[in-house]
Amino acid sequence: MEQQAVQLDRETFSCSICLDLLKDPVTTSCGHSYCLTCIKDHWDQEDQKRIHSCPQCRETFIPRPVLKKNTMLAALVEQLKKTGLQAAPADYCYAGPEDVACDSCTGRKLKAIKSCLVCLASFCEKHLQPHYDSAAFKKHKLVEPSKNLQENICSKHDRLLEIFCRTDQKCICYLCSVDEHKGHDTVSAAAERTERQRELEERRGNIQQRIQDQEKDVKLLQQEVEAINRSADKTVEDSEKIFTQLIRLLQKRSSEVKQQIRSQQETEVSRVKDVQEKLEQEITELKRKDAELEQLSHTEDHNQFLLNYPSLPALSESTHSSSINIRPLRHFEDVTAAVSELRDKLQDVLRDSWTNISLMVTEVDVLLSEPEPKSRAGFLRYSCEITLDPNTAFTWLVLSEGNRKVTRMNQDQFYSSHPDRFTGWFQVLSRESLTGRCYWEVERRGTVNISVAYKSISRAGAMNTDIRT
């Protein structure tokens, strides 16, 4: 009874805001008391409303009251502290909605600090003390506070579930074990827990080992990502430099061709103009002579005509007209044709090189890879259509069905000459370049060899009786 009185006094002299003993107690006009700091903080938050209220009874005050220390309450609180209850220990804290409450407390319940699996109840420190002091409670199992204690009671027999039925994989009480679970494989719940705990620890060990292994893999993958990024960045940089060099080389060659054309243009124009100037001089001279002849032709005096005629110079051969007629002027169209031919060759080289470059890019492989297919359905994911290249077919081979079927003949088929054609082997290549994983199926009759080869393999060699595709 004395303990209950002390507890009551403590509650009476506690602040309803902080739930602790009053500090510098003040009392509002409605009669409720608070810590000075607590009520000031509460009213500070209400200042913007200009209406202040009591946290307990909600009575409002306008204006904000001026608070003064309640000396009587302060003295009583100090006296209460001297009884040894200076600070409220954690176990005297009251239980909130989320807490497990003490089942033995009356009135406002305190937080439970332990739950008993035998009593199926939870206790605060004060009411738990008998479990420590009395021999009758020594074998009781204490656990962390739990709200689910009733789940340990058999709903049918209202007894503790202390047996585990391995047959039905469920917890049962003693009466269940001799009733509907009679003859089943049963052990104590504690024994099953020990076994399951051992399995649990083993599984945890496996999980932790896998975590360690996968953390190592993650580190390796991170290193691989960094390596890929470094390699890609360097390759991009190097490729840009190489392409820049190619562009500069083409620009240099273009400039050189332009310079040569202009130089030759100047030379040819100068030569033509020189010939033109000489021809114009000859024309002027011929016109002068023609004028003299015309003048002489109009002379009426026969003696004068005959006297002056022998003095006229004979007409000489033109030194330029004949060369012009024999060798027509040559322009620069052949240069354009040569540059066009160079362009076509470069396009062919770039096309072939681009295929190889793309192949190299797609063949970049890292640690991650898809599992190898185990069935035809798995392989069909990588299926690709293959057509055959007639320009590579040996002359004794005939292609049909859209160049997807090849048949061996016993004589030449009179194919046109082509540098890609096989000349000594019964072989033909596909048109398609293979990149990454590729799968195809072949129907055959007789002996057929199938292989994967580079496009650059030799086309000449000794005769062979096999067909390779």
Side-chain angles (χ1 to χ4, degrees), residues 355 359 362-363 384-386 430-440 451-453:
T355 301
L359 180 60
T362 56
E363 282 184 350
C384 59
E385 294 291 332
I386 296 294
S430 66
R431 287 183 179 274
E432 293 77 17
S433 297
L434 305 180
T435 60
R437 284 186 174 178
C438 297
Y439 172 78
W440 67 95
S451 64
V452 178

Side-chain angles (χ1 to χ4, degrees), residues 373-383 439 441:
K374 302 296 184 182
S375 62
R376 182 174 182 272
F379 282 106
L380 286 176
R381 293 174 52 199
Y382 307 100
S383 177
Y439 172 78
E441 295 179 345

Side-chain angles (χ1 to χ4, degrees), residues 67 87 191 227 381 392 415:
L67 298 173
R381 293 174 52 199
T392 66
Y415 283 113

Side-chain angles (χ1 to χ4, degrees), residues 7-165:
Q7 183 173 337
L8 179 62
D9 287 344
R10 181 180 186 84
E11 185 175 350
T12 302
F13 297 111
S14 295
C15 172
S16 61
I17 297 177
C18 68
L19 302 180
D20 203 353
L21 286 177
L22 290 165
K23 305 178 187 67
D24 297 327
V26 294
T27 303
T28 61
S29 59
C30 59
H32 295 106
S33 300
Y34 305 96
C35 300
L36 177 60
T37 302
C38 293
I39 191 63
K40 284 181 65 178
D41 291 343
H42 176 74
W43 282 351
D44 286 345
Q45 296 175 7
E46 294 184 335
D47 277 345
Q48 58 182 356
K49 300 179 182 178
R50 298 184 179 179
I51 298 177
H52 303 84
S53 61
C54 173
Q56 287 186 265
C57 67
R58 301 302 178 187
E59 182 177 340
T60 59
F61 310 103
I62 302 176
R64 176 173 174 169
V66 177
L67 298 173
K68 294 184 179 180
K69 183 176 181 179
N70 189 322
T71 56
M72 180 178 292
L73 271 178
L76 289 173
V77 170
E78 288 300 320
Q79 185 64 33
L80 187 61
K81 289 179 180 180
K82 291 179 181 179
T83 63
L85 302 175
Q86 183 172 354
D91 50 273
Y92 273 86
C93 294
Y94 294 108
E98 302 299 325
D99 299 320
V100 178
C102 175
D103 293 317
S104 297
C105 285
T106 58
R108 188 174 182 183
K109 295 181 177 294
L110 299 177
K111 288 182 181 179
I113 62 170
K114 291 290 182 182
S115 294
C116 178
L117 297 181
V118 178
C119 300
L120 295 178
S122 301
F123 305 102
C124 63
E125 183 175 7
K126 182 181 70 174
H127 293 111
L128 182 65
Q129 198 61 38
H131 279 75
Y132 297 130
D133 298 337
S134 175
F137 298 104
K138 289 296 184 182
K139 294 184 178 180
H140 285 201
K141 177 67 173 178
L142 299 178
V143 296
E144 293 301 312
S146 173
K147 293 183 178 182
N148 304 319
L149 292 177
Q150 292 304 316
E151 294 180 1
N152 294 321
I153 298 297
C154 177
S155 59
K156 183 177 181 180
H157 302 109
D158 200 27
R159 299 191 61 167
L160 185 65
L161 300 175
E162 53 187 356
I163 298 175
F164 184 79
C165 177

